[in-house]
Amino acid sequence: MLELKNVTKSFNLTGVKEDLRVALDHINLQIESGEFVTIIGGNGSGKSTTMNIITGVVKPDEGQVLLNNVDITKMDEHQRASWFGHVFQDPMMGTSGDMSVLENLEIAYRRGRRHSPFAWGFKKENKKEFIKELQRFGLGLEDRLNQKVGVMSGGQRQALTLLMATLRNKPTHKVVKRDYIRFSEKDHKVAEREFDEVYIPALREYKNEVKDIKKDAKLNRKERKQAKLEAYERFDKKVRKFDLTKQILLLDEHTAALDPKTAKKVLELTDKIVKENEMTTLMITHNMKDAITYGNRLIMFHMGHIIYDVKGEEKQKLTVEDLLKKFDEADQKAEQQ
Ligand SMILES: Nc1ncnc2c1ncn2[C@@H]1O[C@H](COP(=O)(O)OP(=O)(O)OP(=O)(O)O)[C@@H](O)[C@H]1O
Ligand SMILES: [Mg+2]
């Protein structure tokens, strides 16, 4: 669970006390694992600041950020990086223009898996996996693996960024263990033992399987590789269940710079990736229809406050008119004050 407790943030550009602008005013927000939350609100209402406080780019003046009940407010951006994938409006931001599609993907992939036995070898398998993922975008990226990302369209770059943001969120087993001990509600010693009781035999079993595969004369080279990969995946799956801090995706108007058709495609893909990986997701959008269609919860920001928070069936029944009415009411209320 991700939680903001009484978070307040003001910005002061001029140094003059009177120019202090309150971006967030005592925000309280609890997001359960697996929730897909859409976020709407006028310009300057505090949406991006909220995300930046979650990732640690911005530090709150007051209040706390908690991840699975652990206070992470003081942790810097880099310490938190493996828990969050952040995609911005600007297609130039998430990818490296000087590098090819494949190089960008390799980097994102390695970021989370440095210690896996497949991180440095098995490039062909990686490549096949990437091609499969890219084909789903329907943007022709799979045929341009070696092309520099800098020459690609905004939609293509943004699709790639999305894929990279979700790839990165697979930490190594060592990190899974560290985080499990840290974020589990159990006593640290108990948590460590619990992890080891699964991990150590699973690793032994995996190593034995690999030995047997190597000895198996019936297998050809390709089959042997495939069998090894499958054995690893079985082992990996056992460890993943300890991944408490998995995959929180933060999308900040990530389709706003794309043409309507491409935006739709990228959004649909977002939804698919989120569902398949059961990712906890926050998505900022100015498109009310999308905010209603996607996700299972909707939050409305207004001048640094959360003024509406709706879930499930009630959200499903919302119309764009309902949301516009809410905005009008909030504006009128603010004017009266
Ligand atoms: N780094 C910063 N320095 C100064 N002021 C900032 C900074 N970041 C945000 N603000 C101010 O904080 C307020 C909230 O900004 P924020 O970017 O969170 O709004 P937003 O809801 O994301 O708006 P938009 O829909 O325009 O993206 C605004 O008044 C903005 O000018
Ligand atoms: Mg913003």
Side-chain angles (χ1 to χ4, degrees), residues 47-48 51 66 72 79 82 108 167 181 261 265 289 299 310 323:
K47 306 181 298 299
S48 298
M51 279 194 182
L66 292 105
I72 61 166
Q79 287 171 291
S82 69
L167 274 181
I181 293 169
K261 211 174 134 200
K265 222 178 233 173
K289 228 173 138 210
I299 287 173
V310 59
L323 294 179

Side-chain angles (χ1 to χ4, degrees), residues 201-213 235:
L203 182 65
R204 195 179 306 129
E205 195 183 320
Y206 163 63
K207 282 183 172 166
N208 284 335
E209 275 186 70
V210 171
K211 247 187 235 157
D212 290 342
I213 292 164
F235 160 56

Side-chain angles (χ1 to χ4, degrees), residues 133-199:
E133 293 290 328
L134 289 170
Q135 273 167 344
R136 301 167 47 190
F137 289 98
L139 293 167
L141 279 168
E142 63 279 9
D143 302 321
R144 307 174 68 172
L145 286 179
N146 297 313
Q147 234 172 60
K148 287 222 160 72
V149 169
V151 300
M152 298 197 171
S153 76
Q156 288 167 329
R157 277 186 89 146
Q158 208 59 338
L160 188 60
T161 307
L162 184 65
L163 190 56
M164 287 166 66
T166 48
L167 274 181
R168 181 179 42 201
N169 272 301
K170 209 159 185 186
T172 62
H173 295 158
K174 205 170 147 186
V175 172
V176 169
K177 177 177 177 175
R178 187 199 68 197
D179 286 348
Y180 184 69
I181 293 169
R182 193 152 156 213
F183 289 102
S184 161
E185 278 172 4
K186 295 175 181 116
D187 175 70
H188 286 188
K189 281 245 152 43
V190 174
E192 180 167 10
R193 200 181 328 124
E194 202 181 354
F195 180 91
D196 285 342
E197 270 168 11
V198 172
Y199 180 76

Side-chain angles (χ1 to χ4, degrees), residues 11 13 21 23 42-49 253 286:
F11 290 103
L13 290 178
R21 279 197 76 138
N43 293 123
S45 59
K47 306 181 298 299
S48 298
T49 304
E253 300 184 48
H286 283 294

Side-chain angles (χ1 to χ4, degrees), residues 55-264:
T55 59
V57 176
V58 168
K59 290 274 152 42
D61 302 332
E62 270 179 61
Q64 293 153 341
V65 184
L66 292 105
L67 188 59
N68 300 314
N69 299 315
V70 175
D71 190 337
I72 61 166
T73 319
K74 293 211 165 69
M75 271 185 212
D76 73 27
E77 192 190 340
H78 302 287
Q79 287 171 291
R80 307 184 200 186
S82 69
W83 308 324
F84 304 105
H86 205 170
V87 185
F88 300 89
Q89 179 175 351
D90 184 356
M92 300 300 163
M93 275 175 82
T95 48
S96 178
D98 293 336
M99 289 196 276
S100 71
V101 171
L102 199 58
E103 284 166 341
N104 270 285
L105 282 169
E106 288 276 354
I107 284 176
Y109 186 77
R110 276 185 198 154
R111 224 173 273 163
R113 300 193 191 199
R114 211 160 295 142
H115 302 285
S116 117
F118 296 98
W120 300 102
F122 294 104
K123 269 206 163 158
K124 268 199 196 131
E125 270 74 15
N126 279 354
K127 201 168 153 179
K128 262 194 232 153
E129 220 19 67
F130 292 155
I131 290 172
K132 226 167 63 195
E133 293 290 328
L134 289 170
Q135 273 167 344
R136 301 167 47 190
F137 289 98
L139 293 167
L141 279 168
E142 63 279 9
D143 302 321
R144 307 174 68 172
L145 286 179
N146 297 313
Q147 234 172 60
K148 287 222 160 72
V149 169
V151 300
M152 298 197 171
S153 76
Q156 288 167 329
R157 277 186 89 146
Q158 208 59 338
L160 188 60
T161 307
L162 184 65
L163 190 56
M164 287 166 66
T166 48
L167 274 181
R168 181 179 42 201
N169 272 301
K170 209 159 185 186
T172 62
H173 295 158
K174 205 170 147 186
V175 172
V176 169
K177 177 177 177 175
R178 187 199 68 197
D179 286 348
Y180 184 69
I181 293 169
R182 193 152 156 213
F183 289 102
S184 161
E185 278 172 4
K186 295 175 181 116
D187 175 70
H188 286 188
K189 281 245 152 43
V190 174
E192 180 167 10
R193 200 181 328 124
E194 202 181 354
F195 180 91
D196 285 342
E197 270 168 11
V198 172
Y199 180 76
I200 293 168
L203 182 65
R204 195 179 306 129
E205 195 183 320
Y206 163 63
K207 282 183 172 166
N208 284 335
E209 275 186 70
V210 171
K211 247 187 235 157
D212 290 342
I213 292 164
K214 278 183 181 159
K215 275 192 281 189
D216 192 342
K218 288 196 297 291
L219 300 173
N220 65 30
R221 224 176 114 231
K222 205 172 153 197
E223 286 165 340
R224 196 163 283 145
K225 252 189 192 175
Q226 185 58 31
K228 273 198 250 175
L229 201 67
E230 280 167 17
Y232 181 76
E233 270 165 14
R234 277 193 299 275
F235 160 56
D236 186 62
K237 207 170 161 197
K238 287 179 198 155
V239 185
R240 289 291 150 206
K241 76 166 192 228
F242 291 98
D243 192 354
L244 289 183
T245 58
K246 71 171 184 186
Q247 299 171 321
I248 296 178
L249 186 60
L250 305 169
L251 307 166
D252 194 345
E253 300 184 48
H254 73 306
T255 61
L258 311 178
D259 71 64
K261 211 174 134 200
T262 313
K264 189 161 177 266

